[in-house]
Each structure stands twice: as C-alpha cells, then as structure tokens.
Amino acid sequence: VHSPTRIGEITLRLLPASHILGAAMVYLETPEGNLLFTGDYSVSSQLTVPGLTQPELRPHLVVTEATYGDRFHEDRSRAEARIIDQVREVIEGGGRVLIPAFAVGRAQEVLLILKRALKRGALPAVPVFADGMVRAVCEVYGRHPRYVSRGLAHDIRREPHPFYTGGIHPVLRPSDRAEVLRAGPTIIVASSGMLSGGASSFYAAELAKEPLDAIFITGYQDEESPGRALLNLAESDGPGELRVGGRVVPVACRVEKYGLSAHADRMQMVGLLDRLQPFTVALVHGDGGAKQALADNLSCRDVVVAEDGLVLSRRYKNRPRSAAPGSTSPARSEVDAEQLDIDAARRLLGPPTDRAIPARRIAEALWGGRPSRVAVEALILRLETLELVRRDDERRS
C-alpha cells in the first residue's frame, strides 16, 4: 500500500479506499498521463476500517464511483443510535430481530455496533447470531490487523475473537438454524443483505409473518430484490405478501431502514474530486440520476457521465509532477474561507436539504484532514454570510 511498483513505463500505487477491508484506489503514472481509479470508497471512518487518507496526487483523469452522487447520508452516529434503540424495543417486546447484511463489510459493522451496545448495557443481554458467508469473512478481518480500525485491531490482539464475544455466536451449520429460531428474543445478522438468498432469506421467511418480530435493513436494495419488495410493502397500506427463500409469506413484522453506507455521499465526493483538480472526471457505478447530479456539482470542466462500453480518449499536455511518496502538498489555507466564492460553496453543498450536517464535516470535505475549530467557525460564518446554511438553534455546530 502506497509503495510504488514499476511495471515498464508505468508506476502503480495502491491507496486504501476505506470502503471495506482491502478496498483500494489504483493510481497509474504513465507517459500519456496519470489515472486514478477510485473503485468504491468511503471518506468517513467506520468501526471496521479507518477513514480515507486524502491522496496527495495530481491525476489527469479520475474514474470514480457515483453511487450516492445525488444524496447525503444519514449521520452515522444517529443511525447507530436509532438501530440500537429500535432493536431494544423489539427485544423488550419479546420479539426477534433479523438484520440482513452484506457479508463483506456491512455485517462486521453491524456486529461491532451490537457488541458495543451489549458491552455498555444499551441492549439487554440476549444472544446475537452471525450466519451465512458472514462467518468466513469475519475470520478474514481477524487476520489483517494492519488494515483495520484501531479499535478493531485492539480487539484482534486482546480478545479470543474480535467479533464472537459478549454473547455473539456464529451459526456453524444450517441444521442449527431451527434452534436459533427457538432461542426466544434474539438478534440475527445474516447474509445476503438483499434477502436474495443465503441464510437471511431463510430467517426472513420465518420472521416476516410474526407481528412481534422485525427485519431491519441496513444497505442498498436492488429494485428486483426481496429486500426492496419488503421495503415497498412496509411503505404501503394494508397487509401484503413477500416472496423470499422460495416461499410466499404474509408480512406482519416490523420493518425499518438505516443509513450505514460504506460509500462516500455527494458532498464528500465533490470535496475529494475538487481537491484532486483532475482535467477529466469519468463517473461510473451509479444510476443515471446519481451520476448526472454529481456531474452538475463538480468544478471540473470535462466530466463524462460514462455508460457501459464507452471508449474514452483524451490527450494531456504539460503534465504536473505527482507529489513524492510520503510528502504532503500544501493544504488549502484554513484562512481562505473568506475567499470561498458562492459558486464553489454551492457545488460543495449541493441542493437544499432538511438534513442536519455537522459543521466540521463540511470543513473536512473542503480542506481534508482535521481543520481547527477556528477554521471550521470561519467557514460556517462565510456560508452563513452567503445565505447557504442556517445553524441549528440548539446544536450550533
């Protein structure tokens, strides 16, 4: 990671993308120009992996995901608090909770959220079961402490198992699932995350018909997936039926959805791409609306809303040299808030929203790193002066 590898005339670097364990951005320095391929990435830290280190690069072309190019994420701490509160409500009412989760990344995040809540007494001491491909992936995280968050690395070193502690257990055999269902109030974290197969579809077919039970969705649901159908039923009036796990079952359980995304949102993508200052940005991995919304908010003049099969040809002159490995290019001065023009601020913030955004997060999206309180305050004052934000009356930051 970070160390350059020479392949003929091309220099390759891999940079952690903070999406899931092992996710990497690929940076290629070539005689024809420099390319950054982001893949999926997350700017914010997670319980499993640290946040994105802002790359000190000057690519000519950036090929970037645009999955959430048209929206802000729910504040992570609020989402975590909400899921714990609502899991507790179901458990205290005598019900069972199924949390379908992607086996890589999301399931481990959910298990750590539950582990912390159990440890501090925010949840009753009920069993938590991990099932499906989730089990094998948890073992992989435990073998790579170098690339995980500090908290998880500490647990890997100090505890018998970083995930299966404090009442959390793996379901070792499919034949054990009937016993899990008979365990009374319990929490089940299982893949697949869209209820399209695997252990989660088995549990969903059983829990969906029970009014005391709940299915809590924590990730993206494809339009054709059973998970999306379940969310649609929850938003409609009256009873409905769900086709899941090869069965058609009535839906009477509680259904909720939470924002625990491991992708950057629109503001974070705009902040990163504007700092990199590429000549060309190609937007991939997102629906048409998300890609166009992100394109409309970027300062780069050459933005390509890419489609499958596109052949992109560009020629660049006067290539600037990349920053040397380990060096830091001068960060944008924290005092330049007064020079922030209204168009740049609008690109950063995007269209109006009722969702609260922490002031520090806006400053981090603009400058990267950890700006001082003075810098954050100066930036918010400037945005207030431009009439682009209004502070919360009680939580002023």
Side-chain angles (χ1 to χ4, degrees):
V1 176
H2 291 290
S3 299
T5 300
R6 190 78 178 176
I7 307 172
E9 294 185 303
I10 297 174
T11 300
L12 163 71
R13 283 190 229 169
L14 299 178
L15 305 115
S18 190
H19 173 60
I20 57 175
L21 178 69
M25 295 183 174
V26 180
Y27 187 62
L28 300 175
E29 294 179 272
T30 82
E32 285 74 35
N34 302 331
L35 164 68
L36 176 66
F37 184 88
T38 70
D40 294 342
Y41 68 97
S42 172
V43 172
S44 304
S45 63
Q46 302 176 62
L47 296 180
T48 50
V49 291
L52 182 71
T53 300
Q54 301 294 338
E56 301 293 344
L57 307 171
R58 283 296 176 263
H60 297 85
L61 168 64
V62 175
V63 179
T64 177
E65 67 143 321
T67 311
Y68 292 103
D70 58 349
R71 71 195 75 174
F72 290 122
H73 291 323
E74 179 179 7
D75 180 77
R76 184 58 178 264
S77 61
R78 293 185 186 181
E80 292 180 10
R82 189 162 60 89
I83 193 171
I84 293 302
D85 288 344
Q86 294 178 341
V87 167
R88 184 178 63 251
E89 290 173 4
V90 175
I91 295 299
E92 290 177 344
R96 302 164 294 183
V97 178
L98 169 65
I99 305 178
F102 301 125
V104 183
R106 185 62 47 79
Q108 289 72 36
E109 286 288 311
V110 171
L111 288 172
L112 291 181
I113 291 169
L114 296 172
K115 177 182 171 181
R116 293 196 313 177
L118 287 166
K119 187 174 182 179
R120 69 175 188 267
L123 283 177
V126 297
V128 177
F129 296 100
D131 201 352
M133 197 170 72
V134 173
R135 304 187 312 269
V137 177
C138 285
E139 302 304 323
V140 175
Y141 273 74
R143 293 196 294 268
H144 296 281
R146 177 183 174 188
Y147 301 110
V148 301
S149 66
R150 287 194 299 175
L152 182 53
H154 177 273
D155 290 351
I156 291 171
R157 292 192 301 267
R158 302 293 179 87
E159 298 183 352
H161 197 284
F163 297 102
Y164 305 143
T165 57
I168 301 177
H169 316 278
V171 180
L172 300 178
R173 297 173 297 274
S175 58
D176 295 335
R177 290 170 185 165
E179 186 176 344
V180 170
L181 290 171
R182 291 193 296 268
T186 189
I187 306 167
I188 305 164
V189 180
S191 55
S192 73
M194 297 188 195
L195 300 176
S196 54
S200 68
S201 62
F202 168 82
Y203 293 115
E206 295 296 328
L207 271 64
K209 56 191 177 183
E210 301 296 336
L212 294 181
D213 294 342
I215 300 176
F216 289 166
I217 303 294
T218 64
Y220 172 79
Q221 304 295 307
D222 184 83
E223 290 297 330
E224 303 300 321
S225 69
R228 170 61 66 180
L230 180 63
L231 290 174
N232 291 341
L233 282 174
E235 294 171 358
S236 64
D237 296 327
E241 293 183 332
L242 178 69
R243 182 179 295 277
V244 63
R247 299 162 57 185
V248 177
V249 296
V251 175
C253 69
R254 178 176 179 176
V255 179
E256 302 284 353
K257 183 179 180 182
Y258 308 89
L260 300 177
S261 179
H263 292 261
D265 66 14
R266 194 206 55 73
M267 186 172 73
Q268 292 169 329
M269 285 187 276
V270 170
L272 175 66
L273 294 169
D274 278 2
R275 279 196 304 279
L276 290 173
Q277 298 180 336
F279 295 145
T280 305
V281 174
L283 303 178
V284 298
H285 197 286
D287 63 33
K291 288 189 283 190
Q292 191 59 57
L294 181 57
D296 291 343
N297 284 279
L298 294 175
S299 60
C300 179
R301 295 183 178 180
D302 184 18
V303 179
V304 180
V305 178
E307 302 291 342
D308 291 348
L310 172 71
V311 176
L312 181 62
S313 178
R314 294 291 187 275
R315 190 179 297 274
Y316 302 109
K317 297 180 180 179
N318 301 321
R319 294 183 293 113
R321 298 181 63 183
S322 298
S327 69
T328 56
S329 61
R332 236 181 251 190
S333 170
E334 294 180 350
V335 300
D336 72 356
E338 287 298 321
Q339 283 74 52
L340 181 66
D341 68 77
I342 192 166
D343 290 332
R346 281 178 173 150
R347 285 196 302 270
L348 183 71
L349 293 169
T353 176
D354 292 332
R355 180 166 292 167
I357 305 170
R360 178 167 293 278
R361 185 176 170 207
I362 299 175
E364 288 173 350
L366 178 65
W367 290 311
R370 292 183 175 274
S372 68
R373 291 183 180 180
V374 173
V376 173
E377 182 66 16
L379 174 61
I380 301 307
L381 284 172
R382 176 62 174 163
L383 294 177
E384 281 187 302
T385 301
L386 295 173
E387 298 184 349
L388 295 178
V389 302
R390 179 160 47 190
R391 293 180 192 255
D392 182 278
D393 287 343
E394 295 180 7
R395 292 169 292 117
R396 300 292 289 165
S397 64

